[in-house]
Amino acid sequence: MNYTEVRDEWKSSPAVFWAIAARHVNWMEKWDNVLAERPGRRFAWFDGAITNASYNCLDRHVESGRGEQVAIAFESPVTGAVAQTMTFAILTDQVARFAGVLQRNGVGFGDVVVIYMPVIPQAIIAMLACARIGATHCVVFGGFAAKELATRIMDTLPKAIVTASNGFEGSRRIDYKETVDEAIQLSMWTGPAIVYRREGASITLVPGDVEWDRAMRESHPVSPVPVPSSHPLYILHTSGTTGEPKGIVRDTGGYMTALLWSMNNIYRCPPGDVFWAAADIGWVLGHSFIAYGPLLNGCTTVLYEGKPVGTPDSASFWRVIEQHRVNVLFAAPTALRAIRKEDPAGLLLYEPILGSRIWHHDIKSLRTVFVAGERCDTSTMNWAENLLGVPVLDNWWQTEAGWPIAASTAEDRAVSERCRGSAGRAMPGWDVRCVDDQGNEVQNGITGNIVCALPLPPGAMTTIWNAHARYESSYFQRFPGWYDTGDAGYIDVNGFLHVMGRTDDVINVAGHRFSTGAIEEIVARLAPVAECAVVGMSDPLKGQVPVVFVVLKDRSDVAPLEVETQVVQTVREQLGAVIALRLAFVVGRLPKTRSGKILRRSLLYIVDGKPAPIPATIEDPAVISEIERLMQQRWIKGESLFDETHYPD
Ligand code: COA
Ligand code: AMP
């Protein structure tokens, strides 16, 4: 079926469409209603049905004869642990045993388990073990510092924390256990921390800690327990407009249905094929397409603890594709840009000699590359397509969505160039529109706020953990009757969606989503700081990087340069290095409206080196040129990757 036929089928009867899609899931009991509304949750998909995600990812594949197929292929170029593999049979056994470890440590149905681990198979084992016993996991990205981890521990009050001795960031050893100990102290949490000790690593266990290997030796395998379709499979925190992260809650049955549909219809990766999402398990891409999506569909998933460049070189991606016969690669545009920067002619992949190509890596298995997480500039997309000889297809989604809202297909690309530069067309389940600030739909081609009609499809978030009122106000209040995605963009005359950027205080650094509000909260607490503002400057590699503007207190006697260094260091310590903050500037004052609102939009133009518009409401226009002069003196200017960078109000 082509796009129009599938879309029509969904439109003619969403309930029938999703009931058919749900046949790919194994249900212990069938649903009473395909969709129901339940208290505290707007959309209860497959209401009344009973299932188990761990069973669907593992046992059923073993039962159907895939036991000897590789489930996880693990590559860690820095540790030299090249090509460790785990079959579905072994993974099932490990998960069943770790479920026993969790139970022995007091974790039961409905409890939360925080997982703070590098990209190693044990992270997936921990996730699926939670799902096996009906516990809800909350994975925290390893790049977050102890304070951020503590915030998530306090939000979810887990029964146990699962971590590892260490991970590797490039060639740097990152001590995960140390960060967990610090976060436990900060949050005053008590409970068992289960620690996986990596080969050659030593760990200092404190009372209450449990060593993974030892606990596994003493454990007995546990069978999957029945859970309702709407049972929370996981909580995943994401950035909102305030410093307080939002714990997005995902259900079980709807999510499995949506992921299985995506694997077969968007990514076209049938059972037995090899899928590689080059991401961290701490982000939604890692949850949906390293862990759950490929395993649900009986595919091999590749786990890569490395970078696109520098571990050891910019041929790492080609090496992994060759080694594991990867069929579908999913990466952030930043990763492709990083490879292109180091090896623009792709000479580490092949060399053109006397009119033919001498291949250094056999990547013939690769069919398609998908990109998401940030806007992909067409120049990078064209470069990758020319180099790899396969379609590079964009798809747009968010932590909240769980799977693509809009996607480009290989057919789109084959029949025309229409989809290049867009994120693709709305997928079944997603009725995407663009509206103005009053909520009126705008014409095709006009930029507006991107919204989706209700109900949201299976797989989309069901609530915010502990904060259902915040869920309602964050997503459904501004445009009643719609889901507010927080993105701006337009739909072109052919129905392709172009996502231009955020409408809120969220920035996207190397495909990672951060809140400028969270940075501002940290900076504002520093003693010499009177007020501050943070904006995302365009960056040719990472898409955006944060820039902090600080106004000092009148009687502050600290030198401005010292404050700038303190700002950078404090944000790095409290949020994590991954936020990539390097630029902080002390200024005399910030541009403001007469009512005192900081004009971040003007700052955004200034850091990008573009003439800043002077709003009629500005208190004193002279402040704009003051800051422009400062930027010129210090040679700071962002380079936009895109023709039309979005400058939200
Ligand atoms: N644990 C601890 N620190 C981490 C970390 C982790 N899991 N992930 C990143 N960091 C640190 C890095 O070491 C770096 O620290 P430094 O400033 O001291 O060097 C900082 O955070 C920034 O990291 P990163 O964004 O990875 O930048 P980089 O300059 O080291 O590498 C790229 C540049 C382009 C190679 C890298 O950004 C990249 O691989 N991007 C693709 C990202 C991606 O896949 N996104 C999809 C998200 S699902
Ligand atoms: P996250 O919730 O971390 O996945 O971040 C989601 C945000 O990343 C979206 O709201 C967009 O702003 C941005 N994003 C994700 N995918 C794309 C894409 N394909 N094109 C443009 N922006 C994207």
Side-chain angles (χ1 to χ4, degrees):
M1 274 204 286
N2 64 28
Y3 173 83
T4 316
E5 285 164 348
V6 175
R7 185 90 187 156
D8 286 350
E9 199 176 284
W10 164 68
K11 270 194 171 157
S12 70
S13 176
V16 173
F17 181 89
W18 289 118
I20 292 172
R23 284 188 197 150
H24 293 274
V25 175
N26 176 283
W27 303 94
M28 296 167 184
E29 273 174 45
K30 237 189 132 199
W31 51 87
D32 304 319
N33 295 299
V34 173
L35 175 63
E37 202 167 310
R38 290 263 162 243
R41 141 174 329 123
R42 273 176 174 245
F43 322 104
W45 283 96
F46 310 108
D47 191 45
I50 304 290
T51 185
N52 182 285
S54 179
Y55 177 81
N56 272 278
C57 287
L58 302 170
D59 309 62
R60 69 159 164 166
H61 299 312
V62 177
E63 287 162 14
S64 70
R66 288 192 185 279
E68 295 314 306
Q69 183 195 312
V70 173
I72 296 180
F74 173 51
E75 284 273 354
S76 177
V78 176
T79 58
V82 179
Q84 282 180 2
T85 54
M86 211 178 261
T87 62
F88 272 99
I90 293 174
L91 183 61
T92 306
D93 178 64
Q94 292 279 300
V95 168
R97 279 177 196 280
F98 194 67
V101 172
L102 290 175
Q103 281 185 340
R104 276 186 133 197
N105 283 282
V107 179
F109 186 91
D111 290 334
V112 175
V113 174
V114 161
I115 300 172
Y116 184 74
M117 294 185 108
V119 183
I120 53 176
Q122 286 68 24
I124 294 188
I125 292 173
M127 291 161 85
L128 294 178
C130 290
R132 201 164 186 87
I133 57 171
T136 299
H137 61 72
C138 174
V139 179
V140 180
F141 170 57
F144 281 128
K147 194 173 157 288
E148 287 295 301
L149 174 58
T151 306
R152 287 152 177 81
I153 293 173
M154 287 186 283
D155 185 36
T156 56
L157 300 177
K159 263 280 157 63
I161 297 177
V162 185
T163 189
S165 52
N166 63 291
F168 291 94
E169 236 304 289
S171 53
R172 209 168 68 216
R173 185 183 186 281
I174 307 282
D175 198 325
Y176 275 63
K177 168 75 167 75
E178 214 169 76
T179 308
V180 166
D181 287 344
E182 205 183 321
I184 288 176
Q185 277 202 338
L186 285 171
S187 60
M188 298 201 292
W189 175 83
T190 51
I194 306 169
V195 192
Y196 176 72
R197 185 157 61 84
R198 299 189 69 179
E199 220 178 289
S202 60
I203 37 171
T204 315
L205 297 178
V206 297
D209 285 351
V210 175
E211 203 192 336
W212 176 295
D213 279 341
R214 194 168 167 182
M216 286 288 262
R217 278 195 300 273
E218 291 164 3
S219 172
H220 297 289
V222 168
S223 300
V225 306
V227 311
S229 171
S230 56
H231 188 67
L233 178 63
Y234 67 76
I235 303 162
L236 179 59
H237 289 87
T238 191
S239 303
T241 44
T242 67
E244 203 184 326
K246 296 189 274 203
I248 298 301
V249 177
R250 192 86 59 212
D251 73 347
T252 303
Y255 187 50
M256 288 198 286
T257 304
L259 292 185
L260 280 163
W261 192 87
S262 307
M263 287 299 297
N264 290 300
N265 296 281
I266 300 176
Y267 303 116
R268 314 257 169 107
C269 194
D273 273 13
V274 182
F275 195 91
W276 177 26
D280 193 288
I281 45 130
W283 303 101
V284 70
L285 176 54
H287 281 61
S288 294
F289 296 111
I290 295 180
Y292 287 105
L295 295 178
L296 279 168
N297 209 32
C299 299
T300 299
T301 186
V302 178
L303 218 58
Y304 175 67
E305 188 189 28
K307 298 234 172 193
V309 295
T311 54
D313 56 26
S314 51
S316 300
F317 272 33
W318 321 144
R319 218 170 275 124
V320 174
I321 294 168
E322 178 176 34
Q323 173 80 30
H324 298 288
R325 319 302 306 145
V326 171
N327 302 116
V328 177
L329 167 67
F330 199 144
T334 300
L336 300 181
R337 286 197 291 267
I339 298 172
R340 182 185 183 189
K341 193 164 163 241
E342 299 232 330
D343 183 19
L347 296 178
L348 293 187
L349 180 58
Y350 60 75
E351 280 172 76
I353 294 179
L354 297 174
S356 61
R357 290 172 174 179
I358 308 295
W359 289 84
H360 299 302
H361 298 282
D362 174 2
I363 59 159
K364 282 199 284 292
S365 58
L366 188 68
R367 283 196 303 266
T368 326
V369 175
F370 287 92
V371 286
E374 56 181 312
R375 197 158 164 234
C376 188
D377 54 297
T378 43
S379 159
T380 301
M381 192 175 262
N382 294 344
W383 172 83
E385 278 194 351
N386 288 334
L387 182 71
L388 304 173
V390 299
V392 176
L393 302 174
D394 199 353
N395 53 127
W396 165 71
W397 46 300
Q398 320 176 295
T399 307
E400 291 85 346
W403 63 286
I405 305 175
S408 322
T409 64
E411 286 79 39
D412 291 335
R413 182 56 53 77
V415 291
S416 76
E417 283 295 291
R418 289 183 310 185
C419 72
R420 199 179 290 273
S422 87
R425 287 183 285 190
M427 290 293 100
W430 298 101
D431 183 356
V432 181
R433 312 286 175 93
C434 292
V435 298
D436 63 21
D437 288 346
Q438 284 68 48
N440 305 310
E441 233 178 296
V442 297
Q443 281 176 354
N444 283 355
I446 307 282
T447 298
N449 304 284
I450 307 177
V451 295
C452 302
L454 305 181
L456 294 183
M461 63 179 169
T462 51
T463 185
I464 296 178
W465 186 255
N466 281 338
H468 192 69
R470 187 178 180 201
Y471 165 78
E472 291 289 338
S473 62
S474 303
Y475 299 114
F476 305 104
Q477 199 166 292
R478 185 165 175 219
F479 303 114
W482 304 99
Y483 159 61
D484 179 7
T485 66
D487 277 329
Y490 66 92
I491 299 171
D492 68 22
V493 286
N494 296 309
F496 288 86
L497 179 70
H498 298 251
V499 181
M500 312 306 294
R502 296 288 304 187
T503 58
D504 54 13
D505 300 328
V506 163
I507 55 171
N508 197 315
V509 181
H512 305 137
R513 174 171 159 184
F514 299 108
S515 150
T516 53
I519 307 178
E520 287 179 3
E521 276 180 28
I522 291 171
V523 177
R525 280 198 291 266
L526 294 174
V529 173
E531 58 180 347
C532 65
V534 177
V535 292
M537 178 173 93
S538 297
D539 180 83
L541 178 64
K542 297 192 176 183
Q544 282 184 305
V545 290
V547 180
V548 181
F549 290 94
V550 168
V551 177
L552 299 184
K553 283 182 185 152
D554 279 350
R555 260 167 274 149
S556 166
D557 51 6
V558 191
L561 266 178
E562 213 176 295
V563 177
E564 291 173 1
T565 312
Q566 192 188 3
V567 165
V568 171
Q569 267 172 4
T570 312
V571 171
R572 195 182 159 91
E573 275 161 24
Q574 296 196 12
L575 268 175
V578 70
I579 194 121
L581 175 66
R582 298 204 191 284
L583 300 173
F585 299 105
V586 170
V587 291
R589 55 199 177 136
L590 293 168
K592 286 189 182 171
T593 61
R594 279 187 287 275
S595 60
K597 191 171 167 245
I598 297 172
L599 288 162
R600 288 183 178 75
R601 186 167 180 256
S602 305
L603 290 172
L604 203 52
Y605 274 89
I606 296 173
V607 294
D608 281 350
K610 297 196 161 55
I614 312 271
T617 51
I618 196 165
E619 191 184 27
D620 181 359
V623 70
I624 299 281
S625 38
E626 276 171 31
I627 299 178
E628 276 172 344
R629 263 198 308 279
L630 177 85
M631 294 290 101
Q632 275 155 12
Q633 277 163 13
R634 297 180 66 169
W635 294 102
I636 303 300
K637 179 172 156 277
E639 262 179 75
S640 178
L641 281 167
F642 314 114
D643 301 329
E644 310 161 71
T645 306
H646 180 69
Y647 296 92
D649 284 323

